[in-house]
Amino acid sequence: MADSPDLLLLSRWLTPVPGFLVPLVGAGARIGYVPTASSIYPDQTWLDLDRATLEAQGFEVLDVDPELVSTATFTRALGEIDAIFVAGGNVFHLLGALRQTGADRPLVHAVRHGLPYIGASAGAAVTGPDIAPLHLLDDPSEAAPLESTAGLGLIDVTIIPHAEGTVGGRERIDRTLAQYPDHPLQLLRDDEALVFSGGRRRIIPG
């Protein structure tokens, strides 16, 4: 088991990915791309941009969507890739889909046992202890059925992406802070990234 999971959590831009991933798994790594958070939206342009960016960075990108394959197939895929990338969209739908399909458990197990995790926006927010504070940024009513807002628990803070207000305006960020003063929130701007590695946490340019 890894001493601690390796996670790169992004608000928007993928610039930090090579600097994070290449030292861990080498150049040309196979990245499993999870588009699930956006499956409820007809426009998925940003997913195409993600994939193109990762490929331009020299990585091989393979879609791994738990909504389209069995839990066994998803679990097997986790053993055949060098890193996992969980894309943005609606964090409530993402968590609901992971729970409904049973993909949450093998995903957490793989990351805790050394599979590097890269999450963007919703993919970053789902890693924390509770996604409830995200309800002003994402609409829970659009989501797959969700009995609990408890997140994947890979980290001890809830990421609030787009903290400068690029999605929905700064007023929603301020309301989130006011409504959840007792939650461990980590604001993350689009030009920032949060790295968890070696038991340490640090913010780097995004």
Side-chain angles (χ1 to χ4, degrees):
M1 182 171 180
D3 291 335
S4 63
D6 292 303
L7 300 97
L8 173 65
L9 305 178
L10 311 161
S11 180
R12 186 172 185 180
W13 307 115
L14 309 190
T15 308
V17 172
F20 167 77
L21 198 54
V22 171
L24 294 174
V25 297
R30 292 161 56 91
I31 296 178
Y33 189 88
V34 180
T36 309
S38 292
S39 67
I40 56 176
Y41 300 127
D43 182 5
Q44 301 180 5
T45 305
W46 65 85
L47 301 186
D48 295 333
L49 178 60
D50 277 355
R51 295 185 186 96
T53 299
L54 293 170
E55 289 171 352
Q57 290 172 339
F59 302 111
E60 182 180 357
V61 181
L62 308 169
D63 266 30
V64 182
D65 190 343
E67 288 188 299
L68 300 181
V69 299
S70 68
T71 305
T73 298
F74 180 78
T75 302
R76 184 167 58 251
L78 293 174
E80 298 172 348
I81 56 178
D82 301 304
I84 191 84
F85 184 107
V86 182
N90 185 307
V91 68
F92 296 94
H93 178 71
L94 172 59
L95 183 60
L98 290 174
R99 291 247 174 85
Q100 270 193 325
T101 61
D104 56 333
R105 292 182 295 276
L107 175 59
V108 168
H109 181 271
V111 175
R112 291 199 182 280
H113 285 74
L115 183 69
Y117 180 103
I118 304 166
S121 192
V126 78
T127 62
D130 194 338
I131 66 169
L134 277 298
H135 78 93
L136 294 176
L137 300 179
D138 288 342
D139 185 354
S141 70
E142 297 178 332
L146 191 60
E147 294 181 359
S148 168
T149 58
L152 299 182
L154 290 167
I155 62 173
D156 59 359
V157 295
T158 297
I159 302 295
I160 305 297
H162 317 298
E164 66 271 63
T166 49
V167 176
R170 175 69 201 195
E171 186 264 345
R172 293 191 187 185
I173 303 296
D174 294 337
R175 285 171 57 199
T176 298
L177 294 175
Q179 288 187 26
Y180 295 92
D182 299 324
H183 277 63
L185 305 182
Q186 173 67 61
L187 299 183
L188 198 63
R189 301 195 312 263
D190 287 352
D191 61 353
E192 295 177 326
L194 188 59
V195 177
F196 285 78
S197 188
R200 297 190 304 165
R201 177 174 72 195
R202 58 195 173 96
I203 291 182
I204 63 173

